[in-house]
């Protein structure tokens, strides 16, 4: 069963804004359509542009539970879907006196099942947002598993049978585009590309999250961050780091971002020594 959580595109924008996530029409439309059509939303873009935060905001705006599958190289079905509690099964077999056939039916029951994020999201009857984060870091085999689960929103466990979703979760897959995802997986999803926001929107985000910073200082922060992103850095500042910079300047009692303030606090937004050195040279801080 699929139950829509939003009534209109405008409602998406309003409710996400209420959850602290400022959207534009493209983002709001993509979220609305994913919700209305019951399709997963694949959000792609560079690190730090708000892909993960979008899923969190949808959960917060709708009062849904967020279930997160963090992908990484080497993740397998046992970590993504389910596995059996082998220690508990072994203990049960050691203390039991039944023959193997009787014990087998006992140890492959619910009591011994360890549910992982995909199975957990499918089994929930309450509103759920399933976040499959950094999908591009997972192996192709896991993509195949995602295809199977997201096609019919059901899972077959040989010992227990087929488990179907009582209520389909709202699914968000994120990707930093470190590799191409399969066309088959992409066909199952709606697609949204997120990039760094415009200066106007990023300033609005800073003021919404750190209203005490004031418009003048927010403008200086955003202008400097955009200058940093234009450089050839190992890791460009994320939106979250822009917000952290605003908090940092307030904590230090600074009301202007001059060269001295940038040099003192550059470590808040740049986390590689080579990036800091390049920024110091190009911004003429030394």
């Amino acid at each position: 069963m699929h139950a829509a959580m939003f009534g209109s595109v405008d409602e998406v924008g309003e409710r996400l804004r209420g959850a602290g996530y400022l959207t534009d029409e493209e983002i709001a439309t993509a979220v609305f359509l994913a919700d209305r059509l019951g399709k997963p939303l694949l959000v792609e873009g560079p690190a730090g542009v708000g892909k993960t935060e979008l899923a969190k905001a949808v959960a917060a705006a709708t009062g849904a539970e967020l279930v997160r599958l963090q992908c990484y190289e080497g993740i397998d079905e046992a970590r993504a879907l389910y596995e059996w509690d082998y220690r508990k099964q072994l203990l049960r077999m050691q203390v039991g006196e039944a023959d193997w056939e009787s014990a087998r039916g006992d140890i492959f029951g619910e009591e011994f099942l360890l549910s992982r994020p995909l199975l957990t999201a499918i089994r929930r009857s309450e509103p759920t947002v399933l976040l499959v984060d950094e999908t591009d870091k997972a192996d192709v085999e896991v993509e195949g598993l995602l295809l199977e689960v997201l096609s019919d929103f059901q899972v077959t466990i040989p010992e227990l049978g087929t488990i179907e979703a009582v209520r389909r979760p709202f699914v968000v897959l994120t990707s930093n585009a470190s590799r191409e995802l399969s066309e088959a997986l992409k066909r199952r999803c709606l697609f949204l590309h997120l990039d760094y926001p415009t200066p106007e929107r990023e300033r609005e985000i800073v003021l919404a999250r750190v209203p005490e910073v004031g418009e003048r200082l927010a403008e200086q922060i955003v202008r400097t961050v955009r200058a940093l992103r234009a450089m050839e850095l190992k890791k460009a500042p994320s939106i979250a780091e822009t917000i952290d910079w605003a908090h940092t300047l307030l904590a230090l009692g600074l009301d202007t971002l001059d060269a001295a303030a940038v040099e003192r606090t550059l470590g808040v937004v740049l986390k590689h020594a080579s990036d800091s050195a390049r920024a110091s040279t190009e911004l003429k801080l030394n």
Side-chain angles (χ1 to χ4, degrees):
M1 182 186 74
H2 172 67
M5 299 187 291
F6 298 103
S8 67
V9 174
D10 288 342
E11 183 186 334
V12 172
E14 291 170 5
R15 291 173 69 180
L16 290 184
R17 179 181 288 270
Y21 192 96
L22 304 187
T23 70
D24 54 23
E25 189 171 7
E26 182 183 6
I27 296 173
T29 300
V31 170
F32 172 75
L33 290 175
D35 175 48
R36 185 54 57 95
L37 300 177
K39 293 178 73 69
L41 179 61
L42 172 59
V43 187
E44 189 175 84
V49 295
K51 302 183 297 296
T52 300
E53 288 303 314
L54 176 58
K56 292 179 179 179
V58 171
T62 58
E65 180 79 14
L66 179 71
V67 177
R68 180 174 182 172
L69 172 62
Q70 179 63 54
C71 295
Y72 53 87
E73 186 177 349
I75 189 173
D76 58 11
E77 182 174 326
R79 294 298 173 186
L81 190 57
Y82 75 92
E83 64 179 324
W84 294 104
D85 190 335
Y86 297 115
R87 292 181 181 178
K88 196 171 183 181
Q89 287 175 322
L90 184 59
L91 286 172
R92 170 67 183 84
M93 292 175 65
Q94 288 174 341
V95 300
E97 298 179 357
D99 58 31
W100 164 244
E101 286 302 320
S102 300
R104 184 178 185 279
D106 184 19
I107 65 174
F108 286 103
E110 288 282 351
E111 179 186 352
F112 301 92
L113 183 67
L114 297 175
S115 181
R116 300 308 185 194
L118 292 180
L119 180 58
T120 297
I122 283 179
R123 300 183 85 179
R124 281 182 52 83
S125 58
E126 299 300 319
T128 304
V129 172
L130 171 61
L131 168 61
V132 184
D133 214 5
E134 298 186 298
T135 310
D136 52 322
K137 289 187 176 180
D139 298 329
V140 176
E141 290 76 11
V142 174
E143 273 195 52
L145 174 63
L146 289 173
L147 264 175
E148 180 183 350
V149 173
L150 299 180
S151 294
D152 301 314
F153 287 91
Q154 66 180 32
V155 171
T156 298
I157 301 176
E159 297 84 356
L160 298 178
T162 299
I163 299 173
E164 297 184 18
V166 177
R167 177 175 184 145
R168 288 192 177 192
F170 182 97
V171 182
V172 177
L173 299 92
T174 74
S175 170
N176 294 334
S178 62
R179 71 170 178 86
E180 279 290 326
L181 300 178
S182 70
E183 291 300 323
L185 182 60
K186 288 182 177 180
R187 281 196 300 271
R188 295 286 188 278
C189 306
L190 299 182
F191 180 79
L192 173 66
H193 179 78
L194 282 188
D195 208 338
Y196 294 111
T198 63
E200 296 77 18
R201 184 161 166 263
E202 188 158 20
R203 185 173 62 249
E204 187 181 2
I205 291 170
V206 171
L207 289 170
R209 300 293 290 271
V210 196
E212 307 89 343
V213 77
E215 292 196 13
R216 177 172 168 273
L217 185 53
E219 172 70 34
Q220 293 175 342
I221 293 170
V222 169
R223 190 189 320 124
T224 306
V225 165
R226 289 187 68 81
L228 292 172
R229 288 179 186 149
M231 301 175 190
E232 293 184 7
L233 303 177
K234 288 185 177 180
K235 171 64 174 64
S238 67
I239 298 173
E241 286 164 332
T242 304
I243 294 168
D244 286 344
W245 213 1
H247 281 299
T248 298
L249 297 174
L250 284 179
L252 292 174
L254 301 175
D255 58 5
T256 187
L257 188 59
D258 55 18
V262 172
E263 189 171 13
R264 286 177 63 191
T265 60
L266 200 53
V268 175
V269 289
L270 298 182
K271 310 300 168 61
H272 294 274
S274 59
D275 287 348
S276 295
R278 179 181 291 273
S280 295
T281 299
E282 296 197 21
L283 293 177
K284 297 180 173 56
L285 300 179
N286 298 324

